[in-house]
Amino acid sequence: MEPDAILEELGVTAAWELHGDGRWVEAPNLDVRAMARLLRSVEARWVTLTVSPAPGGGFRLLYHWDLAGRLLNIATVVPEARAESIADIWPGADWAEREARDYYALEFAGRDGSPALMLRPEDEPGLFSRTQELGRDADPADAARVDAGGEP
Amino acid sequence: MSPVIPVGPYHPALEEPYKIELVCDGEAVREAHITVGFNFRAIEWLAERKNYTQDLALVERVCGICSNVHTLTFSRALEQLAGVEVPARAQHIRVIVHEAERLHSHLLWAGIAAEVIGFQTLFMTCFALREKVMDLLEAVSGNRVNYAMNKPGGVTRDIVDPAMVSATAQAIRAAMERDIIPVFTTDRTVRARCAGVGVLTRDEALAWGALGPVARASGLPQDIRKAAPYEIYDQLDFEVPVRPEGDVLARIVVRALEIVESCRIIEQAVDGMPSGPIDAGDFIPVPAGEACARIEGPRGEVFYYVASDGSDVPLRVRIRTPTFQNMPTVALMVREQTLADVPLIQASIDPCYSCTDR
């Protein structure tokens, strides 16, 4: 399946922006589970998920896929710290979603029982978000335990 | 009730901490649960608080084995952002050091695999060969671990003795073909210990996003050097070894054959290295925007995402290392295997916990 057909199948009206490093598209109302199922069916390869705070609030989820050597970067935005999980469709996304929760307290639907990945069980999720609130010089080791009442 | 056997996070056989809990039924492993994060250093967080020059030194410390691929991938992301073309000589040097790093990483792993299998003499042979590569890297860069060879726009040092580089690659290729590959591919002890052990099927490898030699040993012919060539790889003649079996033996054979291919690549890069500048000049800070870069590291694809607001400090740096994808597949590989095979199976993915945790 060609990249243009993928956008058409997903109902994304925006076109790919072609850069030297791959194709990029912003898809605000993206059905990420439909995207995951489609890319699974065409034997694309999972690359990773990049989460970052969105400029207007919420979070930007940038999904990276490899389609026969072509890098596809598909971005969407969630207004709250809650997103759909694709780990049941793409098991390879499991750790990336758990890591996103560690860093940004981003909760993925149906994954309430998933353990932390990089943080320890006693650490509160949202390490990067919390240190952002505390200022750029905040120590992540202190911030990891700021809500847990433990020693930094 | 099935006994749960915890291994790690600290263990005499592992240089780096991680934990695997094995749910067993007698000697058979029924399931496994992996815990990582013991080496977590928040490197992505740090990278968003340091300037690009500091970040170059920071990302080189993501990994102690494949340190070079991190500076290369980070530099390529910045070059993509700035639209900078790296001079041809620098591209050749990058490829030579990149492949030398793959050589020493694969030879290190081959030695460890030989030791885990119980083949001490082969361990010594592999490490003696690896020492030649370390000497080469030291001669080229002045360093044995963090080479500091890459910079945005090129490399920091020229190669002043290309003949030595080529001779080393030829010597390693000959030793691999004469001494090591025949053992790994035909020796009955190796075959008995590794064939059919720790299988990861092609479908599992794809679904779990396995990378590098782990994926290629499960029948997936993925290699960024071929699929999306960078630097001068589209000008080079080399093969990507792929095996369909998905077992420990296949992972051993793939890496052993890749050593030969890396030697061939180095020889070609030396032969074709043109004269000229080795960097494109400074272009930091980079323009606002976002970019990705992918490199085929020794353990598989290394991925970087960098977002810039035009200042000298990146807005966001995302680092996805190959072991981050490969490690969860160990839980699949060890199912229904004997407890005694677990160390060999986990070693067969050539894990790097430091990379994984970042």
Side-chain angles (χ1 to χ4, degrees):
Chain A
M1 181 178 265
E2 288 299 307
D4 287 345
I6 287 172
L7 292 188
E8 191 176 333
E9 183 83 16
L10 294 174
V12 176
T13 52
W16 293 108
E17 275 189 39
L18 189 57
H19 298 176
D21 54 353
R23 290 166 170 78
W24 298 72
V25 71
E26 299 287 336
N29 301 312
L30 180 69
D31 180 344
V32 296
R33 291 182 59 79
M35 169 190 67
R37 279 191 293 268
L38 176 62
L39 288 164
R40 187 82 200 271
S41 71
V42 298
E43 289 213 341
R45 181 166 62 77
W46 165 259
V47 176
T48 196
L49 164 66
T50 299
V51 176
S52 52
F59 294 92
R60 181 172 185 252
L61 277 59
L62 180 57
Y63 290 89
H64 309 278
W65 306 92
D66 181 294
L67 185 67
R70 293 174 289 198
L71 184 66
L72 307 182
N73 306 291
I74 306 176
T76 192
V77 173
V78 291
E80 307 289 339
R82 188 146 193 93
E84 291 292 326
S85 171
I86 62 167
D88 58 327
I89 302 167
W90 277 97
D94 175 28
W95 280 23
E97 290 185 354
R98 286 166 60 186
E99 189 178 34
R101 181 175 181 271
D102 284 356
Y103 295 171
Y104 296 106
L106 186 61
E107 299 289 346
F108 289 87
R111 304 209 55 181
D112 295 343
S114 292
L117 187 72
M118 292 300 152
L119 301 183
R120 302 279 61 88
E122 66 272 19
D123 295 336
E124 286 293 311
L127 175 62
F128 288 12
S129 295
R130 195 159 51 249
T131 46
Q132 204 73 40
E133 290 162 11
L134 293 173
R136 290 176 73 85
D137 295 329
D139 187 314
D142 292 347
R145 294 172 181 82
V146 71
D147 295 328
E151 290 295 318
Chain B
M1 183 180 171
S2 300
V4 178
I5 300 176
V7 181
Y10 301 103
H11 190 274
L14 293 171
E15 295 82 0
E16 300 175 276
Y18 103 116
K19 184 176 183 181
I20 183 166
E21 291 178 301
L22 303 161
V23 181
C24 296
D25 184 1
E27 283 293 303
V29 177
R30 296 299 180 218
E31 57 183 280
H33 306 285
I34 293 168
T35 305
V36 295
F38 301 100
N39 274 325
F40 178 55
R41 289 152 288 158
I43 283 181
E44 290 183 11
W45 183 92
L46 284 166
E48 293 157 19
R49 281 154 182 81
K50 297 181 181 296
N51 65 40
Y52 289 104
T53 306
Q54 294 170 318
D55 279 342
L56 195 63
L58 175 67
V59 299
E60 187 144 32
R61 282 144 183 87
V62 168
C63 182
I65 300 295
C66 54
S67 56
N68 182 73
V69 300
H70 288 280
T71 55
L72 180 54
T73 321
F74 183 65
S75 295
R76 286 190 57 80
L78 302 190
E79 289 153 10
Q80 175 65 35
L81 269 170
V84 168
E85 182 74 19
V86 174
R89 185 173 180 86
Q91 292 189 40
H92 283 71
I93 294 170
R94 281 181 169 185
V95 165
I96 290 166
V97 176
H98 188 28
E99 294 302 325
E101 185 172 70
R102 191 183 324 277
L103 282 180
H104 98 71
S105 179
H106 278 12
L107 284 165
L108 171 75
W109 179 83
I112 291 170
E115 188 183 35
V116 173
I117 291 167
F119 214 138
Q120 288 293 320
T121 49
L122 192 59
F123 161 77
M124 299 299 284
T125 305
C126 290
F127 267 59
L129 270 184
R130 179 177 182 261
E131 195 57 25
K132 291 182 189 294
V133 186
M134 301 307 290
D135 288 346
L136 182 157
L137 283 164
E138 186 175 5
V140 168
S141 72
N143 299 293
R144 287 170 62 92
V145 179
N146 296 319
Y147 317 113
M149 281 297 288
N150 296 301
K151 58 177 285 190
V155 292
T156 56
R157 290 169 182 247
D158 206 346
I159 290 180
V160 295
D161 188 1
M164 176 274 293
V165 173
S166 196
T168 303
Q170 287 170 23
I172 291 168
R173 180 155 64 95
M176 284 299 297
E177 290 172 336
R178 184 187 62 236
D179 301 330
I180 296 179
I181 289 177
V183 175
F184 278 142
T185 53
T186 63
D187 183 85
R188 281 190 296 177
T189 306
V190 172
R191 183 164 290 277
R193 188 78 175 82
C194 304
V197 173
V199 172
L200 182 72
T201 67
R202 180 187 180 281
D203 288 347
E204 288 171 338
L206 189 63
W208 287 79
L211 296 168
V214 174
R216 293 192 282 273
S218 290
L220 293 174
Q222 61 186 37
D223 187 322
I224 292 298
R225 294 174 299 175
K226 286 283 190 187
Y230 49 94
E231 308 302 351
I232 57 164
Y233 281 106
D234 57 350
Q235 303 164 33
L236 302 173
D237 175 29
F238 64 101
E239 300 293 326
V240 176
V242 177
R243 302 284 290 212
E245 298 89 349
D247 57 6
V248 171
L249 185 60
R251 293 190 274 278
I252 289 174
V253 171
V254 162
R255 288 196 188 89
L257 295 175
E258 284 182 8
I259 291 172
V260 174
E261 296 303 317
S262 287
C263 293
R264 291 182 60 218
I265 289 170
I266 290 172
E267 290 167 44
Q268 291 174 63
V270 169
D271 286 347
M273 189 159 62
S275 58
I278 60 169
D279 77 78
D282 291 334
F283 57 88
I284 303 294
V286 297
E290 56 186 346
C292 299
R294 299 188 290 168
I295 295 293
E296 189 68 27
R299 295 170 182 80
E301 177 195 79
V302 175
F303 172 91
Y304 271 62
Y305 164 88
V306 178
S308 164
D309 62 1
S311 73
D312 63 346
V313 176
L315 266 182
R316 179 80 173 98
V317 176
R318 171 76 172 140
I319 305 169
R320 203 292 326 280
T321 62
T323 306
F324 188 89
Q325 288 302 133
N326 288 337
M327 178 70 71
T329 66
V330 171
L332 305 179
M333 295 175 187
V334 301
R335 280 182 313 190
E336 308 308 324
Q337 303 294 295
T338 62
L339 191 57
D341 281 337
V342 171
L344 178 63
I345 293 170
Q346 69 179 17
S348 75
I349 71 160
D350 190 13
C352 180
Y353 308 105
S354 179
C355 269
T356 304
D357 292 352
R358 292 153 290 131

